[in-house]
Amino acid sequence: MAGDTSILFVGDVVGRAGRRALEALLPALREELAPRFVVVNGENAAGGIGITPKEADAFLAMGVDAITLGNHTYRHREIWPYLQERREIVRPANYLPGQPGRGTCMVERDGETLGVVNLSGNLYMQAGSPALVTVDEALREVSGADHVLVDMHAEATSEKVALGWYLDGKVTGVVGTHTHVPTADARVLPGGTAYITDVGMTGARGGVIGVRREQSIAVMRTHMPMRYDAAEEDPWINAVLIRASAPRRADSIEQVLRPAS
Ligand SMILES: [Fe+2]
Ligand SMILES: [Fe+2]
């Protein structure tokens, strides 16, 4: 049926633990939840910070339809040309026009199209223009899509909540990323847009938002710089499943929070 779809969106995949958790759980989640589209935030996929073509290729080989990013987009130089070449990976649309990559893409599965928009918050983050202004132009780029999913990568809950209200009735879903901690406010807004302030992270829950906890604690206790490694202990997947039966209108959003072992 036209417009009938489901989207599994996976929160920031952090390092090896996150990649392994996704790899281990995705086949069973496909079986159980039957998502038509799978979209993954990959901004922490390479060693906890950034992404390289290797991790992006691995996600796409798993059948991931699109990859979104965030403030760690440009950490590894190898990804810069990849962002120009590949359509299925997007960086925040409100970055400067001169920065590599695109902020929107359209992917197709079973005759249905999904527009994916990535945005960066403005508070405590370096973005070229205001997310709530640039999003108008980004939505025009995906105007032909049956469904639209917006990943708002932001520190401030207020910016994400405001974007959710601003887009209510215009897109299928607005999902927040970046804090790595899932919030308890998943719901479908009155106009039909599925919303959550933060999906959380796919990575080791035994660390401090993805970093080995003893390193993070030491830095906070000494105020001295230290090497950060990605945590490995207690990996989980943090995701949401959005179901829709009409174009750009969600019926439901549910959190998918599962241990990988
Ligand atoms: Fe992140
Ligand atoms: Fe981030």
Side-chain angles (χ1 to χ4, degrees):
M1 192 174 107
D4 200 335
T5 207
S6 53
I7 307 159
L8 182 71
F9 177 84
V10 179
D12 307 33
V13 175
V14 182
R16 185 171 50 187
R19 298 195 310 268
R20 283 185 178 168
L22 179 63
E23 209 170 2
L25 293 174
L26 191 56
L29 290 175
R30 279 193 192 278
E31 192 109 319
E32 180 191 332
L33 307 171
R36 174 163 289 155
F37 296 102
V38 177
V39 180
V40 170
N41 184 298
E43 73 138 6
N44 305 100
I49 301 181
I51 188 167
T52 73
K54 187 171 150 239
E55 291 82 35
D57 284 341
F59 289 151
L60 297 172
M62 280 180 216
V64 167
D65 296 286
I67 301 165
T68 56
L69 296 167
N71 52 303
H72 296 305
T73 295
Y74 300 115
R75 177 68 173 231
H76 302 285
R77 279 181 162 269
E78 311 93 278
I79 202 70
W80 302 359
Y82 192 95
L83 294 173
Q84 295 290 113
E85 287 155 19
R86 301 299 298 257
R87 287 267 160 197
E88 314 92 321
I89 184 165
V90 290
R91 49 78 163 163
N94 54 329
Y95 279 1
L96 294 171
Q99 290 180 281
R102 281 170 287 271
T104 65
C105 71
M106 293 228 279
V107 293
E108 189 262 324
R109 212 168 265 275
D110 312 325
E112 280 243 326
T113 51
L114 174 69
V116 178
V117 175
N118 197 187
L119 288 169
S120 164
N122 295 95
L123 196 63
Y124 306 133
M125 304 191 95
Q126 194 173 51
S129 62
L132 273 85
V133 174
T134 306
V135 67
D136 291 351
E137 194 188 316
L139 289 185
R140 280 195 289 275
E141 290 177 11
V142 294
S143 59
D146 300 313
H147 284 281
V148 173
L149 180 72
V150 178
D151 172 1
M152 171 65 153
H153 196 81
E155 188 76 52
T157 51
S158 56
E159 288 186 300
K160 301 193 228 187
V161 172
L163 185 76
W165 284 119
Y166 180 61
L167 296 184
D168 185 25
K170 297 184 184 133
V171 302
T172 315
V174 174
V175 293
T177 56
H178 176 70
T179 72
H180 292 193
V181 179
T183 55
D185 61 342
R187 62 169 165 153
V188 178
L189 296 172
T193 295
Y195 175 81
I196 187 167
T197 297
D198 210 295
V199 177
M201 75 169 179
T202 294
R205 208 174 58 161
V208 175
I209 63 168
V211 171
R212 277 175 53 184
R213 62 177 180 265
E214 60 276 19
Q215 295 173 338
S216 185
I217 290 167
V219 168
M220 290 179 195
R221 283 177 52 82
T222 63
H223 291 189
M224 292 303 287
M226 194 179 189
R227 174 199 160 88
Y228 276 152
D229 297 304
E232 298 273 336
E233 192 184 315
D234 192 19
W236 280 56
I237 190 168
N238 286 186
V240 290
L241 182 77
I242 296 170
R243 291 189 197 280
S245 54
R248 298 199 181 203
R249 297 293 179 277
D251 297 328
S252 64
I253 174 169
E254 59 180 279
Q255 284 177 295
V256 179
L257 309 172
R258 308 269 177 91
S261 50

